PDB file of all heavy atoms in Angstrom:
ATOM      1  N   ARG A   1       0.835  -1.204   0.000  1.00 95.00           N
ATOM      2  CA  ARG A   1       0.000   0.000   0.000  1.00 95.00           C
ATOM      3  C   ARG A   1       0.870   1.255   0.000  1.00 95.00           C
ATOM      4  O   ARG A   1       0.580   2.228  -0.697  1.00 95.00           O
ATOM      5  CB  ARG A   1      -0.932  -0.007   1.210  1.00 95.00           C
ATOM      6  CG  ARG A   1      -2.057  -1.037   1.137  1.00 95.00           C
ATOM      7  CD  ARG A   1      -2.907  -0.946   2.399  1.00 95.00           C
ATOM      8  NE  ARG A   1      -4.092  -1.778   2.340  1.00 95.00           N
ATOM      9  CZ  ARG A   1      -4.134  -3.047   2.713  1.00 95.00           C
ATOM     10  NH1 ARG A   1      -3.041  -3.640   3.175  1.00 95.00           N
ATOM     11  NH2 ARG A   1      -5.254  -3.745   2.638  1.00 95.00           N
ATOM     12  N   SER A   2       1.934   1.233   0.801  1.00 96.00           N
ATOM     13  CA  SER A   2       2.844   2.371   0.834  1.00 96.00           C
ATOM     14  C   SER A   2       3.511   2.573  -0.525  1.00 96.00           C
ATOM     15  O   SER A   2       3.628   3.710  -1.009  1.00 96.00           O
ATOM     16  CB  SER A   2       3.915   2.142   1.910  1.00 96.00           C
ATOM     17  OG  SER A   2       4.832   3.210   1.945  1.00 96.00           O
ATOM     18  N   ALA A   3       3.930   1.492  -1.157  1.00 95.00           N
ATOM     19  CA  ALA A   3       4.575   1.586  -2.468  1.00 95.00           C
ATOM     20  C   ALA A   3       3.604   2.079  -3.533  1.00 95.00           C
ATOM     21  O   ALA A   3       3.984   2.846  -4.429  1.00 95.00           O
ATOM     22  CB  ALA A   3       5.155   0.235  -2.868  1.00 95.00           C
ATOM     23  N   ILE A   4       2.355   1.656  -3.438  1.00 96.00           N
ATOM     24  CA  ILE A   4       1.343   2.096  -4.404  1.00 96.00           C
ATOM     25  C   ILE A   4       1.153   3.609  -4.318  1.00 96.00           C
ATOM     26  O   ILE A   4       1.138   4.317  -5.333  1.00 96.00           O
ATOM     27  CB  ILE A   4       0.004   1.361  -4.158  1.00 96.00           C
ATOM     28  CG1 ILE A   4       0.109  -0.096  -4.631  1.00 96.00           C
ATOM     29  CG2 ILE A   4      -1.149   2.067  -4.875  1.00 96.00           C
ATOM     30  CD1 ILE A   4      -1.055  -0.968  -4.190  1.00 96.00           C
ATOM     31  N   LEU A   5       1.023   4.130  -3.096  1.00 97.00           N
ATOM     32  CA  LEU A   5       0.810   5.570  -2.933  1.00 97.00           C
ATOM     33  C   LEU A   5       2.029   6.364  -3.390  1.00 97.00           C
ATOM     34  O   LEU A   5       1.901   7.384  -4.083  1.00 97.00           O
ATOM     35  CB  LEU A   5       0.478   5.890  -1.473  1.00 97.00           C
ATOM     36  CG  LEU A   5       0.215   7.362  -1.138  1.00 97.00           C
ATOM     37  CD1 LEU A   5      -0.847   7.957  -2.053  1.00 97.00           C
ATOM     38  CD2 LEU A   5      -0.194   7.510   0.325  1.00 97.00           C
ATOM     39  N   SER A   6       3.225   5.921  -3.039  1.00 97.00           N
ATOM     40  CA  SER A   6       4.425   6.660  -3.439  1.00 97.00           C
ATOM     41  C   SER A   6       4.632   6.596  -4.948  1.00 97.00           C
ATOM     42  O   SER A   6       5.039   7.580  -5.567  1.00 97.00           O
ATOM     43  CB  SER A   6       5.659   6.109  -2.715  1.00 97.00           C
ATOM     44  OG  SER A   6       5.970   4.800  -3.136  1.00 97.00           O
ATOM     45  N   THR A   7       4.313   5.447  -5.568  1.00 96.00           N
ATOM     46  CA  THR A   7       4.446   5.314  -7.018  1.00 96.00           C
ATOM     47  C   THR A   7       3.455   6.226  -7.732  1.00 96.00           C
ATOM     48  O   THR A   7       3.784   6.881  -8.724  1.00 96.00           O
ATOM     49  CB  THR A   7       4.222   3.852  -7.447  1.00 96.00           C
ATOM     50  OG1 THR A   7       5.188   3.015  -6.794  1.00 96.00           O
ATOM     51  CG2 THR A   7       4.362   3.697  -8.955  1.00 96.00           C
ATOM     52  N   ALA A   8       2.236   6.283  -7.216  1.00 97.00           N
ATOM     53  CA  ALA A   8       1.226   7.156  -7.809  1.00 97.00           C
ATOM     54  C   ALA A   8       1.627   8.616  -7.692  1.00 97.00           C
ATOM     55  O   ALA A   8       1.470   9.398  -8.638  1.00 97.00           O
ATOM     56  CB  ALA A   8      -0.128   6.920  -7.143  1.00 97.00           C
ATOM     57  N   PHE A   9       2.154   9.013  -6.539  1.00 97.00           N
ATOM     58  CA  PHE A   9       2.551  10.409  -6.364  1.00 97.00           C
ATOM     59  C   PHE A   9       3.738  10.749  -7.257  1.00 97.00           C
ATOM     60  O   PHE A   9       3.803  11.846  -7.826  1.00 97.00           O
ATOM     61  CB  PHE A   9       2.894  10.699  -4.906  1.00 97.00           C
ATOM     62  CG  PHE A   9       3.233  12.139  -4.654  1.00 97.00           C
ATOM     63  CD1 PHE A   9       2.245  13.110  -4.670  1.00 97.00           C
ATOM     64  CD2 PHE A   9       4.548  12.537  -4.439  1.00 97.00           C
ATOM     65  CE1 PHE A   9       2.546  14.447  -4.448  1.00 97.00           C
ATOM     66  CE2 PHE A   9       4.867  13.865  -4.221  1.00 97.00           C
ATOM     67  CZ  PHE A   9       3.868  14.826  -4.225  1.00 97.00           C
ATOM     68  N   ARG A  10       4.673   9.827  -7.400  1.00 95.00           N
ATOM     69  CA  ARG A  10       5.811  10.068  -8.281  1.00 95.00           C
ATOM     70  C   ARG A  10       5.339  10.263  -9.729  1.00 95.00           C
ATOM     71  O   ARG A  10       5.825  11.146 -10.439  1.00 95.00           O
ATOM     72  CB  ARG A  10       6.787   8.888  -8.183  1.00 95.00           C
ATOM     73  CG  ARG A  10       8.101   9.096  -8.907  1.00 95.00           C
ATOM     74  CD  ARG A  10       9.136   8.062  -8.515  1.00 95.00           C
ATOM     75  NE  ARG A  10       8.678   6.711  -8.745  1.00 95.00           N
ATOM     76  CZ  ARG A  10       8.498   5.795  -7.804  1.00 95.00           C
ATOM     77  NH1 ARG A  10       8.721   6.107  -6.536  1.00 95.00           N
ATOM     78  NH2 ARG A  10       8.092   4.578  -8.104  1.00 95.00           N
ATOM     79  N   SER A  11       4.376   9.457 -10.148  1.00 95.00           N
ATOM     80  CA  SER A  11       3.818   9.599 -11.495  1.00 95.00           C
ATOM     81  C   SER A  11       3.096  10.936 -11.634  1.00 95.00           C
ATOM     82  O   SER A  11       3.203  11.616 -12.660  1.00 95.00           O
ATOM     83  CB  SER A  11       2.851   8.450 -11.786  1.00 95.00           C
ATOM     84  OG  SER A  11       3.506   7.199 -11.720  1.00 95.00           O
ATOM     85  N   TYR A  12       2.356  11.330 -10.603  1.00 96.00           N
ATOM     86  CA  TYR A  12       1.650  12.609 -10.592  1.00 96.00           C
ATOM     87  C   TYR A  12       2.629  13.769 -10.701  1.00 96.00           C
ATOM     88  O   TYR A  12       2.397  14.735 -11.447  1.00 96.00           O
ATOM     89  CB  TYR A  12       0.829  12.703  -9.311  1.00 96.00           C
ATOM     90  CG  TYR A  12       0.365  14.084  -8.934  1.00 96.00           C
ATOM     91  CD1 TYR A  12      -0.712  14.689  -9.568  1.00 96.00           C
ATOM     92  CD2 TYR A  12       1.013  14.788  -7.913  1.00 96.00           C
ATOM     93  CE1 TYR A  12      -1.136  15.962  -9.203  1.00 96.00           C
ATOM     94  CE2 TYR A  12       0.599  16.051  -7.543  1.00 96.00           C
ATOM     95  CZ  TYR A  12      -0.475  16.643  -8.193  1.00 96.00           C
ATOM     96  OH  TYR A  12      -0.881  17.895  -7.835  1.00 96.00           O
ATOM     97  N   GLN A  13       3.754  13.697  -9.976  1.00 95.00           N
ATOM     98  CA  GLN A  13       4.764  14.753 -10.039  1.00 95.00           C
ATOM     99  C   GLN A  13       5.354  14.882 -11.441  1.00 95.00           C
ATOM    100  O   GLN A  13       5.788  15.969 -11.837  1.00 95.00           O
ATOM    101  CB  GLN A  13       5.883  14.469  -9.040  1.00 95.00           C
ATOM    102  CG  GLN A  13       5.542  14.818  -7.599  1.00 95.00           C
ATOM    103  CD  GLN A  13       6.746  14.665  -6.703  1.00 95.00           C
ATOM    104  OE1 GLN A  13       7.399  13.622  -6.667  1.00 95.00           O
ATOM    105  NE2 GLN A  13       7.062  15.708  -5.968  1.00 95.00           N
ATOM    106  N   GLN A  14       5.366  13.779 -12.180  1.00 93.00           N
ATOM    107  CA  GLN A  14       5.903  13.776 -13.537  1.00 93.00           C
ATOM    108  C   GLN A  14       4.834  14.119 -14.580  1.00 93.00           C
ATOM    109  O   GLN A  14       5.038  13.920 -15.777  1.00 93.00           O
ATOM    110  CB  GLN A  14       6.528  12.411 -13.837  1.00 93.00           C
ATOM    111  CG  GLN A  14       7.734  12.101 -12.958  1.00 93.00           C
ATOM    112  CD  GLN A  14       8.191  10.653 -13.040  1.00 93.00           C
ATOM    113  OE1 GLN A  14       7.553   9.818 -13.695  1.00 93.00           O
ATOM    114  NE2 GLN A  14       9.290  10.333 -12.387  1.00 93.00           N
ATOM    115  N   ASN A  15       3.690  14.629 -14.078  1.00 94.00           N
ATOM    116  CA  ASN A  15       2.583  15.073 -14.937  1.00 94.00           C
ATOM    117  C   ASN A  15       1.994  13.946 -15.794  1.00 94.00           C
ATOM    118  O   ASN A  15       1.530  14.180 -16.918  1.00 94.00           O
ATOM    119  CB  ASN A  15       3.042  16.223 -15.848  1.00 94.00           C
ATOM    120  CG  ASN A  15       3.421  17.460 -15.058  1.00 94.00           C
ATOM    121  OD1 ASN A  15       2.744  17.842 -14.109  1.00 94.00           O
ATOM    122  ND2 ASN A  15       4.533  18.080 -15.428  1.00 94.00           N
ATOM    123  N   LYS A  16       2.018  12.743 -15.242  1.00 94.00           N
ATOM    124  CA  LYS A  16       1.403  11.614 -15.932  1.00 94.00           C
ATOM    125  C   LYS A  16      -0.023  11.426 -15.427  1.00 94.00           C
ATOM    126  O   LYS A  16      -0.343  11.771 -14.291  1.00 94.00           O
ATOM    127  CB  LYS A  16       2.211  10.340 -15.700  1.00 94.00           C
ATOM    128  CG  LYS A  16       3.614  10.407 -16.275  1.00 94.00           C
ATOM    129  CD  LYS A  16       4.418   9.166 -15.912  1.00 94.00           C
ATOM    130  CE  LYS A  16       5.833   9.250 -16.470  1.00 94.00           C
ATOM    131  NZ  LYS A  16       6.680   8.122 -16.052  1.00 94.00           N
ATOM    132  N   GLU A  17      -0.859  10.859 -16.249  1.00 95.00           N
ATOM    133  CA  GLU A  17      -2.244  10.590 -15.869  1.00 95.00           C
ATOM    134  C   GLU A  17      -2.443   9.127 -15.499  1.00 95.00           C
ATOM    135  O   GLU A  17      -3.573   8.690 -15.295  1.00 95.00           O
ATOM    136  CB  GLU A  17      -3.175  10.975 -17.015  1.00 95.00           C
ATOM    137  CG  GLU A  17      -3.146  12.483 -17.321  1.00 95.00           C
ATOM    138  CD  GLU A  17      -4.118  12.864 -18.411  1.00 95.00           C
ATOM    139  OE1 GLU A  17      -4.693  11.956 -19.045  1.00 95.00           O
ATOM    140  OE2 GLU A  17      -4.301  14.078 -18.643  1.00 95.00           O
ATOM    141  N   TYR A  18      -1.378   8.392 -15.410  1.00 94.00           N
ATOM    142  CA  TYR A  18      -1.437   6.981 -15.073  1.00 94.00           C
ATOM    143  C   TYR A  18      -0.221   6.640 -14.215  1.00 94.00           C
ATOM    144  O   TYR A  18       0.753   7.394 -14.162  1.00 94.00           O
ATOM    145  CB  TYR A  18      -1.437   6.120 -16.338  1.00 94.00           C
ATOM    146  CG  TYR A  18      -0.214   6.339 -17.197  1.00 94.00           C
ATOM    147  CD1 TYR A  18       0.928   5.566 -17.044  1.00 94.00           C
ATOM    148  CD2 TYR A  18      -0.177   7.376 -18.133  1.00 94.00           C
ATOM    149  CE1 TYR A  18       2.058   5.788 -17.802  1.00 94.00           C
ATOM    150  CE2 TYR A  18       0.954   7.607 -18.903  1.00 94.00           C
ATOM    151  CZ  TYR A  18       2.075   6.809 -18.734  1.00 94.00           C
ATOM    152  OH  TYR A  18       3.195   7.041 -19.488  1.00 94.00           O
ATOM    153  N   MET A  19      -0.275   5.509 -13.554  1.00 94.00           N
ATOM    154  CA  MET A  19       0.785   5.100 -12.657  1.00 94.00           C
ATOM    155  C   MET A  19       1.732   4.140 -13.364  1.00 94.00           C
ATOM    156  O   MET A  19       1.301   3.159 -13.969  1.00 94.00           O
ATOM    157  CB  MET A  19       0.164   4.424 -11.423  1.00 94.00           C
ATOM    158  CG  MET A  19       1.143   3.985 -10.366  1.00 94.00           C
ATOM    159  SD  MET A  19       0.310   3.593  -8.778  1.00 94.00           S
ATOM    160  CE  MET A  19      -0.958   2.428  -9.311  1.00 94.00           C
ATOM    161  N   ASP A  20       3.037   4.449 -13.317  1.00 92.00           N
ATOM    162  CA  ASP A  20       4.043   3.490 -13.754  1.00 92.00           C
ATOM    163  C   ASP A  20       5.194   3.516 -12.757  1.00 92.00           C
ATOM    164  O   ASP A  20       5.299   4.422 -11.931  1.00 92.00           O
ATOM    165  CB  ASP A  20       4.527   3.752 -15.182  1.00 92.00           C
ATOM    166  CG  ASP A  20       5.204   5.099 -15.350  1.00 92.00           C
ATOM    167  OD1 ASP A  20       5.435   5.788 -14.326  1.00 92.00           O
ATOM    168  OD2 ASP A  20       5.508   5.476 -16.484  1.00 92.00           O
ATOM    169  N   ILE A  21       6.028   2.476 -12.804  1.00 89.00           N
ATOM    170  CA  ILE A  21       7.121   2.403 -11.837  1.00 89.00           C
ATOM    171  C   ILE A  21       8.145   3.482 -12.123  1.00 89.00           C
ATOM    172  O   ILE A  21       8.611   4.191 -11.231  1.00 89.00           O
ATOM    173  CB  ILE A  21       7.778   1.002 -11.846  1.00 89.00           C
ATOM    174  CG1 ILE A  21       6.742  -0.063 -11.486  1.00 89.00           C
ATOM    175  CG2 ILE A  21       8.934   0.957 -10.856  1.00 89.00           C
ATOM    176  CD1 ILE A  21       7.280  -1.474 -11.516  1.00 89.00           C
ATOM    177  N   THR A  22       8.501   3.600 -13.358  1.00 85.00           N
ATOM    178  CA  THR A  22       9.362   4.669 -13.839  1.00 85.00           C
ATOM    179  C   THR A  22       9.175   4.752 -15.347  1.00 85.00           C
ATOM    180  O   THR A  22       8.379   3.997 -15.911  1.00 85.00           O
ATOM    181  CB  THR A  22      10.836   4.418 -13.466  1.00 85.00           C
ATOM    182  OG1 THR A  22      11.616   5.573 -13.767  1.00 85.00           O
ATOM    183  CG2 THR A  22      11.388   3.202 -14.176  1.00 85.00           C
ATOM    184  N   ASP A  23       9.865   5.658 -15.993  1.00 76.00           N
ATOM    185  CA  ASP A  23       9.675   5.830 -17.432  1.00 76.00           C
ATOM    186  C   ASP A  23       9.826   4.513 -18.182  1.00 76.00           C
ATOM    187  O   ASP A  23      10.827   3.802 -18.029  1.00 76.00           O
ATOM    188  CB  ASP A  23      10.690   6.838 -17.983  1.00 76.00           C
ATOM    189  CG  ASP A  23      10.353   8.260 -17.554  1.00 76.00           C
ATOM    190  OD1 ASP A  23       9.187   8.505 -17.213  1.00 76.00           O
ATOM    191  OD2 ASP A  23      11.264   9.102 -17.543  1.00 76.00           O
ATOM    192  N   ASN A  24       8.811   4.205 -18.983  1.00 78.00           N
ATOM    193  CA  ASN A  24       8.820   3.029 -19.851  1.00 78.00           C
ATOM    194  C   ASN A  24       8.799   1.695 -19.110  1.00 78.00           C
ATOM    195  O   ASN A  24       9.050   0.645 -19.710  1.00 78.00           O
ATOM    196  CB  ASN A  24      10.034   3.050 -20.802  1.00 78.00           C
ATOM    197  CG  ASN A  24      10.068   4.302 -21.653  1.00 78.00           C
ATOM    198  OD1 ASN A  24       9.040   4.722 -22.173  1.00 78.00           O
ATOM    199  ND2 ASN A  24      11.244   4.897 -21.780  1.00 78.00           N
ATOM    200  N   VAL A  25       8.522   1.708 -17.806  1.00 85.00           N
ATOM    201  CA  VAL A  25       8.401   0.466 -17.044  1.00 85.00           C
ATOM    202  C   VAL A  25       7.024   0.431 -16.400  1.00 85.00           C
ATOM    203  O   VAL A  25       6.726   1.229 -15.513  1.00 85.00           O
ATOM    204  CB  VAL A  25       9.494   0.335 -15.967  1.00 85.00           C
ATOM    205  CG1 VAL A  25       9.319  -0.981 -15.199  1.00 85.00           C
ATOM    206  CG2 VAL A  25      10.874   0.403 -16.598  1.00 85.00           C
ATOM    207  N   ASP A  26       6.188  -0.467 -16.873  1.00 86.00           N
ATOM    208  CA  ASP A  26       4.809  -0.567 -16.417  1.00 86.00           C
ATOM    209  C   ASP A  26       4.758  -1.124 -14.989  1.00 86.00           C
ATOM    210  O   ASP A  26       5.706  -1.750 -14.511  1.00 86.00           O
ATOM    211  CB  ASP A  26       4.039  -1.493 -17.375  1.00 86.00           C
ATOM    212  CG  ASP A  26       2.532  -1.370 -17.226  1.00 86.00           C
ATOM    213  OD1 ASP A  26       2.079  -0.496 -16.457  1.00 86.00           O
ATOM    214  OD2 ASP A  26       1.816  -2.156 -17.866  1.00 86.00           O
ATOM    215  N   ILE A  27       3.638  -0.900 -14.307  1.00 86.00           N
ATOM    216  CA  ILE A  27       3.462  -1.476 -12.971  1.00 86.00           C
ATOM    217  C   ILE A  27       3.107  -2.957 -13.045  1.00 86.00           C
ATOM    218  O   ILE A  27       3.077  -3.629 -12.015  1.00 86.00           O
ATOM    219  CB  ILE A  27       2.372  -0.730 -12.173  1.00 86.00           C
ATOM    220  CG1 ILE A  27       1.019  -0.811 -12.874  1.00 86.00           C
ATOM    221  CG2 ILE A  27       2.777   0.701 -11.904  1.00 86.00           C
ATOM    222  CD1 ILE A  27      -0.140  -0.290 -12.044  1.00 86.00           C
ATOM    223  N   PHE A  28       2.845  -3.459 -14.256  1.00 84.00           N
ATOM    224  CA  PHE A  28       2.509  -4.865 -14.434  1.00 84.00           C
ATOM    225  C   PHE A  28       3.660  -5.614 -15.106  1.00 84.00           C
ATOM    226  O   PHE A  28       4.417  -5.024 -15.885  1.00 84.00           O
ATOM    227  CB  PHE A  28       1.245  -5.013 -15.286  1.00 84.00           C
ATOM    228  CG  PHE A  28       0.030  -4.393 -14.666  1.00 84.00           C
ATOM    229  CD1 PHE A  28      -0.566  -3.279 -15.238  1.00 84.00           C
ATOM    230  CD2 PHE A  28      -0.512  -4.907 -13.502  1.00 84.00           C
ATOM    231  CE1 PHE A  28      -1.688  -2.701 -14.680  1.00 84.00           C
ATOM    232  CE2 PHE A  28      -1.628  -4.337 -12.932  1.00 84.00           C
ATOM    233  CZ  PHE A  28      -2.215  -3.232 -13.515  1.00 84.00           C
ATOM    234  N   PRO A  29       3.793  -6.907 -14.832  1.00 77.00           N
ATOM    235  CA  PRO A  29       4.854  -7.696 -15.476  1.00 77.00           C
ATOM    236  C   PRO A  29       4.713  -7.727 -16.991  1.00 77.00           C
ATOM    237  O   PRO A  29       3.652  -7.418 -17.542  1.00 77.00           O
ATOM    238  CB  PRO A  29       4.657  -9.104 -14.883  1.00 77.00           C
ATOM    239  CG  PRO A  29       3.873  -8.897 -13.636  1.00 77.00           C
ATOM    240  CD  PRO A  29       3.006  -7.701 -13.881  1.00 77.00           C
ATOM    241  N   ASP A  30       5.781  -8.123 -17.668  1.00 68.00           N
ATOM    242  CA  ASP A  30       5.784  -8.235 -19.124  1.00 68.00           C
ATOM    243  C   ASP A  30       4.676  -9.171 -19.598  1.00 68.00           C
ATOM    244  O   ASP A  30       4.318 -10.130 -18.920  1.00 68.00           O
ATOM    245  CB  ASP A  30       7.136  -8.765 -19.615  1.00 68.00           C
ATOM    246  CG  ASP A  30       8.285  -7.892 -19.132  1.00 68.00           C
ATOM    247  OD1 ASP A  30       8.032  -6.722 -18.832  1.00 68.00           O
ATOM    248  OD2 ASP A  30       9.418  -8.401 -19.048  1.00 68.00           O
TER     249      ASP A  30
END
């Protein structure tokens, strides 16, 4: 839960409208 919130906020800070782990890396496995 903590990781989900921090990941979402990091995506929000990067002006994204969706959550990803980092650029070009999805939150879901390949």
Side-chain angles (χ1 to χ4, degrees):
R1 289 180 173 88
S2 179
I4 286 169
L5 180 53
S6 67
T7 301
F9 183 72
R10 188 167 57 243
S11 299
Y12 163 77
Q13 282 187 307
Q14 296 168 355
N15 296 318
K16 296 175 181 175
E17 296 183 351
Y18 59 91
M19 182 165 53
D20 62 8
I21 300 178
T22 189
D23 288 338
N24 303 317
V25 180
D26 196 5
I27 61 171
F28 298 113
D30 304 337

